[in-house]
Amino acid sequence: MTSASDSDDRPGSAVTMAAFAVIVFLQIPVIVVVLAAFSTTSYLTIPPQGLTLAWFAKVLSDPSYLSAIRMSLILACGSTVISLVLGVAAAYALFRKALPGSEAITSVLMAPLVLPAVVIGVALLQYYSLTGLRGSLFGLLMAHVVITVPYIVRSALASLSGLDLAVEEAARVLGANGFEAFRLVTLPLILPGLVAGALFAFITSLDNVPVTIFLISANQTTLPVLIFSSVEMGIDPSVAAVSTLLIAATGIILLIAERRFGFHRFV
Amino acid sequence: MIAPRHGLMLLAPLALVLAGFFLLPVLMMLPMSFREYAPGTGIVPGVWTLENYTRIVTDDYYREVIWRTLGLGLFVTLACLLLGYPLAFLIARGPERWRVPLILLVIFPMMLNLVVRSFGWIALLSNRGLVNNLLIQLGLIATPLKLMFNLTGLMIGLTHIYLPFMVLMLVAAIRNVPRDVEAAAATLGSSRLHVFAAVTLPLSAPGILAGSILVFVLTISALVTPRMLGGPTYKVMATLIYDEYMQLLDWPSGSALSFALTAMAIGVIWLSSRLTKRWAGMA
C-alpha cells in the first residue's frame, strides 16, 4: 500500500521529459562552444566540416591571451585569499555575538551582492580616477575583494550556525588559547562550507566583467574581458578555443569539489 | 560570547575595506549625478542641476530603455519559472540516484563564465549561426530569422543564465513542502493534479517568490549578456550606463542612471520582503 502510493507521487513522464529538455537547453551553448573550438570553419556547420587543434595552438602561443590568463589567476587567487581572511574573521565575530546589531552588520556586509555590479563598476571607476588607483593591481584586487567577500561571509555564517560551541569551549578548558581553539577545532569543522564559499568567490572573481571592465588599463586585462572585447570585434574560433579551456577547467574544478566535499550540498 | 573588543578587532579589517572601496565610492557618485555635462567640454564647473534625473523620466528614449529593462526582467522571470519548475520538481521528488547528477548539470552552466555562455548563444543565434543554418538546410526558411540584437536573443540568453538560480531556489522550496499534507489531500480524494495545484504549489510559494525576485533583480542589472546579444543598438539600463561612461564620457548622466537602477533593484527587494512578511503574518 505505502509502496504503491510512493511510486504514485513520483513525477510523471511528462514532467520528467520536460525536465530533461530543460537540462539539454542548459548544456546547449556549452556543447556549441566546444564544437566550434575544434572546427576548421570560422562559422559552425552541422555536421562539422573538419577537426583541428590549430585554434588551441594559436591561443596557447598568443601572448595577449597568456597575460590575460595570468592576470585573471592573480586576481582570483589574491581576492579569494584576502576575502577568506577578512570574511571568516568578520563572520566569526558575528557568530560569537561579540557586537550589538549583528543583523544590521550582516546586511551591510551583504550589500555588494544587492547593488547591480555595473553600479559598483562605475562607482569605482570615478573613485579610482580621483585617487589615482585606476589601472593599479591594488585597486583591481580591492574591487574583487568587494564582490567576492559576501560569498565567503555567507558560507562562513552558514557553516558556523551548525556548530556546537561546546567543542570550542572544551578545547579552551583543555588549555588552548582562543586562536588555537579556533584553528584546531572550529576551522576543521567549518572547512567544507568554507571551501564551497571560496570556490564561489574564486569563480566570481575569475568570471567578472561588469566591474573589471571599468577598471582595467590598456596593458593589463583579464581573460573574460579580453574574450568580451574580442567578440565585440567579430568572432574568431580562437575565442571558442580559449572558452573551451575555461569550460574544461570549470568542469574539472566542479567534479573535484563534488568528490572531495559533496559540493552540491552547499549550493 | 567573546569580548566586544575582540569582536571589533575581527570585524574592523573587513569593515574598513568595504567602507573604503564600496560605500565611499558609491556615495561619491551622488554629487556627480547633480553636475551638468557639456558634450565635448566635460563637466561644467559650479553648476548643479536636477536635469540628469528629470531626463530619465521625461526623455522618450530613456523611458523606452527603462520599460524594456523592466519588461525583460518580467519575461525572463516568467520563463525561468515555467522552465525551472518541472526540473526542480524532478530533482526534489524524482529517483534518488538522479538527484546529484541532475544538480551538477544545473550547477555546471551556472559556474561557467558568462562571456563564454553568451558567446555560445551568439554562435547559435546569429544570422549565420547554427539555428539559422540548420533551418535553411532543412528548407524551413529562405532567409535567416532575426534572433539576435532584439528581445528574442536577450530573452533566450538571460533565461539560460539565470535559470539555474531559479531551479536551486525551487528545489529547496519543493523539498520543504510536507509530504504528509499532500498525502492527506490525496487520501481525501484529490486527484494528483489537484493536490499539486491546491497543496504543493501554494506551499512552495515562498521559494517561487524568492527565486523570482532574485532572477528579476539579476536580469535588470545584467550588462554582459545584453551587450553581447543585444549589440550596440538594442540597449537596456546597464548597457546604457556602460555607454554613458565609456563612450559618451557623460558621467553625471551615467551616475543618475546608476542610482535609478539601484533604486529599482532595492525597491523590488523591499517590496518582496514586505509581501513575505504579510504572508507570514496571515499564516
Side-chain angles (χ1 to χ4, degrees):
Chain A
M1 168 63 208
T2 40
S3 66
S5 78
D6 268 358
S7 64
D8 249 16
D9 49 47
R10 282 275 173 82
S13 55
V15 172
T16 307
M17 272 161 63
F20 275 102
V22 174
I23 283 286
V24 171
F25 168 72
L26 281 173
Q27 318 304 321
I28 278 180
V30 185
I31 296 165
V32 167
V33 169
V34 174
L35 285 179
F38 292 99
S39 165
T40 46
T41 50
S42 62
Y43 267 87
L44 267 183
T45 45
I46 293 266
Q49 296 296 304
L51 287 177
T52 177
L53 288 173
W55 306 116
F56 288 97
K58 195 181 164 202
V59 165
L60 293 173
S61 59
D62 184 335
S64 64
Y65 273 125
L66 294 178
S67 88
I69 291 171
R70 197 172 57 232
M71 184 69 186
S72 283
L73 287 175
I74 291 172
L75 277 178
C77 294
S79 63
T80 303
V81 170
I82 299 172
S83 290
L84 266 174
V85 174
L86 300 182
V88 172
Y92 187 71
L94 289 170
F95 166 67
R96 297 297 300 265
K97 302 203 169 44
L99 293 166
S102 59
E103 245 178 68
I105 297 173
T106 310
S107 49
V108 172
L109 299 186
M110 292 297 156
L113 226 49
V114 178
L115 227 59
V118 61
V119 174
I120 300 177
V122 295
L124 287 173
L125 165 66
Q126 285 183 22
Y127 184 64
Y128 285 0
S129 301
L130 284 172
T131 52
L133 281 171
R134 196 169 173 195
S136 73
L137 185 62
F138 174 72
L140 269 172
L141 211 49
M142 286 299 121
H144 279 236
V145 168
V146 166
I147 52 180
T148 54
V149 84
Y151 294 97
I152 305 277
V153 172
R154 194 174 58 184
S155 70
L157 281 175
S159 312
L160 285 166
S161 73
L163 192 75
D164 185 358
L165 270 176
V167 291
E168 203 174 284
E169 295 307 326
R172 300 288 291 269
V173 170
L174 293 170
N177 67 31
F179 183 68
E180 279 170 350
F182 175 80
R183 186 171 59 88
L184 296 172
V185 177
T186 311
L187 196 58
L189 288 172
I190 63 171
L191 196 64
L194 287 188
V195 171
L199 202 57
F200 264 107
F202 184 83
I203 297 230
T204 302
S205 166
L206 201 66
D207 268 7
N208 185 273
V209 171
V211 174
T212 314
I213 198 165
F214 293 102
L215 309 177
I216 49 159
S217 60
N219 54 9
Q220 55 177 4
T221 183
T222 64
L223 188 58
V225 174
L226 184 63
I227 301 177
F228 180 79
S229 38
S230 316
V231 171
E232 298 238 294
M233 285 184 290
I235 299 178
D236 171 337
S238 62
V239 172
V242 74
S243 300
T244 301
L245 295 176
L246 265 175
I247 291 170
T250 309
I252 291 167
I253 292 173
L254 182 62
L255 283 180
I256 293 175
E258 176 61 26
R259 277 278 167 84
R260 190 89 173 66
F261 295 101
F263 182 62
H264 73 273
R265 288 179 289 128
F266 299 101
V267 178
Chain B
M1 279 289 282
I2 52 175
R5 184 169 52 89
H6 290 139
L8 201 62
M9 265 164 54
L10 288 170
L11 200 66
L14 180 56
L16 283 176
V17 167
L18 285 181
F21 292 90
F22 174 68
L23 290 177
L24 189 63
V26 171
L27 288 178
M28 276 174 64
M29 252 183 7
L30 205 57
M32 179 60 80
S33 68
F34 295 104
R35 302 311 298 263
E36 185 173 313
Y37 176 80
T41 50
I43 291 158
V44 183
V47 179
W48 298 87
T49 171
L50 278 172
E51 211 214 323
N52 299 314
Y53 287 100
T54 52
R55 196 168 50 230
I56 294 174
V57 280
T58 55
D59 187 293
D60 283 343
Y61 177 66
Y62 281 27
R63 268 216 304 249
E64 187 193 322
V65 170
I66 288 177
W67 282 119
R68 176 184 293 159
T69 309
L70 290 173
L72 198 64
L74 205 64
F75 288 152
V76 169
T77 305
L78 285 175
C80 285
L81 264 180
L82 285 176
L83 295 176
Y85 210 97
L87 178 52
F89 198 76
L90 184 69
I91 292 174
R93 296 289 176 82
E96 189 75 35
R97 65 179 192 285
W98 290 2
R99 183 164 300 148
V100 174
L102 283 177
I103 290 183
L104 289 178
L105 283 172
V106 172
I107 302 173
F108 175 56
M110 183 172 101
M111 295 189 36
L112 209 56
N113 197 293
L114 266 183
V115 180
V116 171
R117 289 193 274 165
S118 305
F119 169 62
W121 284 114
I122 293 177
L124 279 155
L125 301 176
S126 65
N127 276 348
R128 293 173 59 196
L130 213 52
V131 172
N132 272 320
N133 269 351
L134 200 66
L135 290 176
I136 290 173
Q137 270 176 22
L138 292 173
L140 291 172
I141 52 168
T143 52
L145 299 173
K146 197 167 156 44
L147 300 171
M148 256 176 66
F149 303 141
N150 57 16
L151 185 67
T152 316
L154 258 62
M155 275 276 304
I156 296 175
L158 288 167
T159 302
H160 180 262
I161 277 155
Y162 298 125
L163 184 56
F165 294 92
M166 180 69 93
V167 171
L168 294 174
M169 289 285 209
L170 291 177
V171 168
I174 295 170
R175 294 190 76 167
N176 278 337
V177 175
R179 303 297 288 268
D180 303 359
V181 186
E182 288 178 355
T187 312
L188 293 171
S190 282
S191 69
R192 281 184 64 175
L193 202 62
H194 190 247
V195 171
F196 177 76
V199 178
T200 316
L201 198 59
L203 284 177
S204 60
I208 293 176
L209 186 73
S212 300
I213 296 307
L214 182 68
V215 170
F216 186 86
V217 169
L218 288 172
T219 303
I220 64 171
S221 320
L223 170 70
V224 173
T225 309
R227 180 74 194 182
M228 291 177 76
L229 292 173
T233 47
Y234 193 79
K235 281 183 198 161
V236 294
M237 281 190 80
T239 52
L240 188 61
I241 292 170
Y242 178 82
D243 287 343
E244 297 279 355
Y245 271 92
M246 302 305 265
Q247 257 127 53
L248 304 173
L249 303 177
D250 185 350
W251 290 12
S253 180
S255 302
L257 276 166
S258 297
F259 282 114
L261 179 60
T262 306
M264 277 158 55
I266 291 177
V268 170
I269 295 169
W270 177 79
L271 206 68
S272 74
S273 78
R274 287 287 303 267
L275 267 177
T276 315
K277 274 193 190 128
R278 185 171 291 183
W279 279 356
M282 287 191 308

